[in-house]
Amino acid sequence: MQETFFTSKQAAEITGCTLRQLQYWREKGVVVPVIGETGTGRSIYYSKPNLMELAAMLYFLSMGLSFDIASTTLKTLRDKEPELFESGKGSRWMLLFEGHKRSLNLVVYDREQAIASLDEGKPVIPVWLDEIYQKLALKLGKS
């Protein structure tokens, strides 16, 4: 089966990202298109997993994460689950605040751990890639 690729304009329309965000994230190496990563305009193409990465990055930023934390979270997800962005199924994670490190730690979602963290007054940020994937799949089905 032949893989489908998307232009920058199509990727922006499907994910809700701006063209400028795509360019900036490409330049910073956050989401690198599969074809023409150093090109411009029509020579750049994104794969479906790239679209998932773009949608996840946009989600992280919409949750109020800084660019650095959002891009680090995306990289950590790629490192922990290399094929995660292929399917997105069953992929529920959370960012927990670690007070002694003054940082966010990405862990597999655990309801009891999330509640305990909230009871301690620590933030819990859901990273539910399965939901992001479903929304993206709906948009791809309509395009």
Side-chain angles (χ1 to χ4, degrees), residues 76 80 94-98 101 103-107 113:
T76 303
K80 286 186 176 191
M94 60 185 176
L95 287 166
L96 295 177
F97 181 73
E98 291 188 2
K101 291 184 181 178
S103 65
L104 291 169
N105 186 28
L106 182 69
V107 296
Q113 187 179 12

Side-chain angles (χ1 to χ4, degrees), residues 84-98:
L84 186 64
F85 294 97
E86 296 288 334
S87 69
K89 294 182 179 161
S91 306
R92 290 200 168 195
W93 299 78
M94 60 185 176
L95 287 166
L96 295 177
F97 181 73
E98 291 188 2

Side-chain angles (χ1 to χ4, degrees), residues 16 20 42 57 62 70 97 103 105 113 117-118 124 127 131:
R20 179 64 188 118
R42 295 182 189 197
M57 188 66 180
S62 74
F97 181 73
S103 65
N105 186 28
Q113 187 179 12
S117 190
L118 289 170
V124 175
V127 180
E131 300 225 355

Side-chain angles (χ1 to χ4, degrees), residues 30-51:
V30 176
V31 178
V32 180
V34 292
I35 299 174
E37 62 191 58
T38 59
T40 58
R42 295 182 189 197
S43 63
I44 297 171
Y45 292 93
Y46 293 88
S47 65
K48 286 184 182 180
N50 286 149
L51 295 183

Side-chain angles (χ1 to χ4, degrees), residues 110-125:
D110 177 281
R111 186 175 191 273
E112 288 75 29
Q113 187 179 12
I115 291 170
S117 190
L118 289 170
D119 285 345
E120 294 172 12
K122 296 177 183 174
V124 175
I125 302 168

Side-chain angles (χ1 to χ4, degrees), residues 21-72:
Q21 284 174 314
L22 297 182
Q23 179 185 1
Y24 184 73
W25 297 345
R26 185 176 66 248
E27 289 170 357
K28 294 294 183 183
V30 176
V31 178
V32 180
V34 292
I35 299 174
E37 62 191 58
T38 59
T40 58
R42 295 182 189 197
S43 63
I44 297 171
Y45 292 93
Y46 293 88
S47 65
K48 286 184 182 180
N50 286 149
L51 295 183
M52 180 67 181
E53 292 173 344
L54 293 170
M57 188 66 180
L58 192 63
Y59 170 77
F60 300 150
L61 294 173
S62 74
M63 294 297 291
L65 298 180
S66 70
F67 174 80
D68 290 337
I69 292 173
S71 58
T72 299

